[in-house]
Amino acid sequence: MERKSKRNKEKRQKRKEENACQPTSEIVLYKANNQDDPMAHFSEFRIFEKNGINVKLECKRCGSLDVGTIHWIFDLEKRNMKALYEQCEWGWNDKIKKEEMTDDKAWYLIARTTEPECKPVAFSHFRFDMDYGDEVLYCYELQLEEEVRRKGLGKFMLQVLELIGFSAGMKKVILTVLKHNAEAKAFYTALKYTIDETSPEDNVLEQYSYEILSKVNKKLSSSSKVLI
Ligand SMILES: CC(C)(COP(=O)(O)OP(=O)(O)OC[C@H]1O[C@@H](n2cnc3c(N)ncnc32)[C@H](O)[C@@H]1OP(=O)(O)O)[C@@H](O)C(=O)NCCC(=O)NCCS
């Protein structure tokens, strides 16, 4: 009995020490959101040259993108997603979508061709945010022009998002996918994304047209270092 209570005391003390070493969520998010360039530590991942694609990645806050790029981002989003949104209760609304995509918290990972011209061909809108008590990198969008799909670029960009998120101390990379977007579902499954514990479950009263998928930062509690 005495040994047990001593062990519990030791455990409590250890947990207290561990918690004291963990920066609070606000600090983790503040640091993540106040980086100049979340790719600064991963310069070697800026270039993707494979399967006939030559692109360079950049990572910027929405506020520092030029008008032409913002226009292209919205146009690609609409071309890729409008019909899918309209097939469910979400529907499509230009104004609401534009507001979401240009929110102050929005970050963008953008791939631009290096040759023959600097043309944007893919983007991800993501945020460092709190989600059900966890610091997460929330991938709001991952959108590729049709001509660069199925060549490994989407996989590369999602892996770069994982690097950005996990090195900034995010507990998971999380995203929402429409259940009837079969191609996106196949893609996320191939990249080992699984149903998140916060994903709503269908029941007799309500059926959901989307699910929440995530990949957990397995190393966070052991040896991984927060780089910023
Ligand atoms: C979904 C999307 C981001 C995938 O990017 P991508 O560059 O085309 O995918 P990748 O080439 O990196 O594919 C990686 C793996 O995912 C799986 N995959 C990707 N697209 C697939 C598809 N259309 N059908 C089945 N499996 C697919 C495959 O296993 C693939 O590996 P393989 O090519 O060696 O077989 C891209 O197709 C896209 O922008 N689609 C339209 C917009 C969209 O739906 N975005 C997601 C919103 S949640």
Side-chain angles (χ1 to χ4, degrees), residues 142-144 149-152 154-155 181 183 186-188 190:
L142 179 57
Q143 304 289 338
L144 274 64
R149 291 189 204 156
R150 288 311 293 267
K151 294 179 177 178
K155 177 177 173 178
N181 189 353
E183 297 184 355
F187 167 72
Y188 291 120

Side-chain angles (χ1 to χ4, degrees), residues 48 51 53 76-77 79-81 84-85 121-123 139-146 148-158 175-178 181-191 213:
F48 178 87
N51 299 325
I53 301 184
L76 177 60
E77 172 74 21
R79 280 186 277 126
N80 283 355
M81 301 306 288
L84 286 161
Y85 276 42
V121 290
F123 78 85
C139 173
Y140 275 63
E141 313 288 347
L142 179 57
Q143 304 289 338
L144 274 64
E145 291 283 1
E146 193 137 19
V148 295
R149 291 189 204 156
R150 288 311 293 267
K151 294 179 177 178
L153 179 60
K155 177 177 173 178
F156 184 74
M157 289 178 73
L158 192 55
L175 55 97
T176 304
V177 67
L178 286 167
N181 189 353
E183 297 184 355
K185 281 194 67 174
F187 167 72
Y188 291 120
T189 304
L191 280 150
L213 306 180

